Amino acid sequence: MHTPAAPLALANAWDVASARLVEAAGAPAVATTSAGVAWSLGSRDGNALARERAVDLVARVAGAVQVPVTADIESGFGADPAGVAETVSAVIAAGAVGVNLEDGSREPAEHAERLAAARAAADAAGVPLYINARIDTYLFGLGEPGAPRLTETLSRAAAYLEAGASGIFVPGVYEPEVVAELARGIDAPLNILVGPGAPGVAELGALGVARVSLGSWVAEAAYAVVRRATEELLTKGTYDAVADSLAYGEINALFKTT
């Protein structure tokens, strides 16, 4: 599914209803957003959610859709490579065929070890797991901007692919010239985080991007409706904020087989 000719476009889900809506809209795969999942379960994003709760959500989503599911498992819900391997084994058992693993502020060598453990766990399970290695150099502003940051990102990408990653996810950047350099320098499918202001899917594909993700944007937009509707109700006593909502019957029909 990962090809710049027709990039895999993912509107990330965070529960069964959002996953089924994504599937019903024609998406060839469902990806979860760690932020949306954490918020929906009453937790902060950023490795605060308990592994068991995250895996349970993956199982619910995977059991509710017919398309492949890839799970955002943050940095692996494990203190060490062995812990990451346990998480990956559980996520595979839950029905996912892909994962996101982020490096955050970890040293690249340490993250490579965690990726290698994830790959070993997948191999042991006999599943060709798609491991999307997230590099946070641009998202967190790590290192000097410009050429040094690009060089560091490409260096990490090479190390992560050597460790067993299938593809590389670089959130926090969508300037065409930088994206093109990343695509040229990474010998694997490139994933870019998109949202308002980012180039369109076709334009990113022309730059060499093979996968685009909305990440937490969809969940954030849904929660924005909650706030707007509540504020309007309390201050104006009107209900226009929910005028474009989906019909009750349309949503309820998504669950006829459960």
Side-chain angles (χ1 to χ4, degrees), residues 9-32 61 65 67-68 214 218 246 254:
L10 300 169
N12 300 69
W14 61 95
D15 61 7
V16 169
S18 58
R20 284 206 159 177
L21 285 168
V22 167
E23 180 186 39
V30 168
T32 64
V61 168
V65 299
V67 296
L214 279 170
V218 182
L246 292 175
L254 295 170

Side-chain angles (χ1 to χ4, degrees), residues 12-231:
N12 300 69
W14 61 95
D15 61 7
V16 169
S18 58
R20 284 206 159 177
L21 285 168
V22 167
E23 180 186 39
V30 168
T32 64
T33 159
S34 66
V37 167
W39 298 334
S40 72
L41 295 176
S43 176
R44 292 177 60 87
D45 186 33
N47 301 293
L49 185 66
R51 174 200 288 163
E52 293 74 16
R53 302 188 73 201
V55 172
D56 178 70
L57 189 283
V58 172
R60 290 174 183 271
V61 168
V65 299
Q66 300 301 310
V67 296
V69 171
T70 179
D72 185 343
I73 57 172
E74 304 192 39
S75 65
F77 299 112
D80 54 21
V84 174
E86 291 177 7
T87 299
V88 168
S89 297
V91 167
I92 290 173
V97 294
V99 295
N100 274 17
L101 267 174
E102 61 196 52
D103 59 5
S105 59
R106 282 189 170 86
E107 289 297 318
E110 180 185 357
H111 190 58
E113 292 178 355
R114 297 166 73 85
L115 288 165
R119 174 57 64 203
D123 289 346
V127 175
L129 186 72
Y130 190 95
I131 301 177
N132 203 30
R134 194 179 100 176
I135 299 176
D136 288 330
T137 46
Y138 286 93
L139 186 64
F140 293 164
L142 303 177
E144 293 297 320
R149 185 169 296 160
L150 175 63
T151 299
E152 173 64 19
T153 303
L154 293 177
S155 174
R156 293 187 184 205
Y160 297 166
L161 292 172
E162 178 67 22
S166 311
I168 300 296
F169 181 23
V170 186
V173 61
Y174 49 75
E175 290 79 7
E177 61 278 7
V178 180
V179 170
E181 289 290 341
L182 289 169
R184 280 192 290 268
I186 295 173
D187 189 22
L190 173 63
N191 183 186
I192 294 295
L193 181 67
V194 295
V201 174
E203 183 179 350
L204 288 169
L207 295 172
V209 175
R211 172 172 170 167
V212 298
S213 306
L214 279 170
S216 62
W217 277 105
V218 182
E220 290 169 15
Y223 292 131
V225 173
V226 175
R227 183 165 69 181
R228 285 197 301 270
T230 305
E231 289 176 345

Side-chain angles (χ1 to χ4, degrees), residues 239-257:
Y239 332 105
D240 293 338
V242 295
D244 295 327
S245 61
L246 292 175
Y248 168 88
E250 181 180 355
I251 299 174
N252 209 41
L254 295 170
F255 298 90
K256 285 182 177 179
T257 60

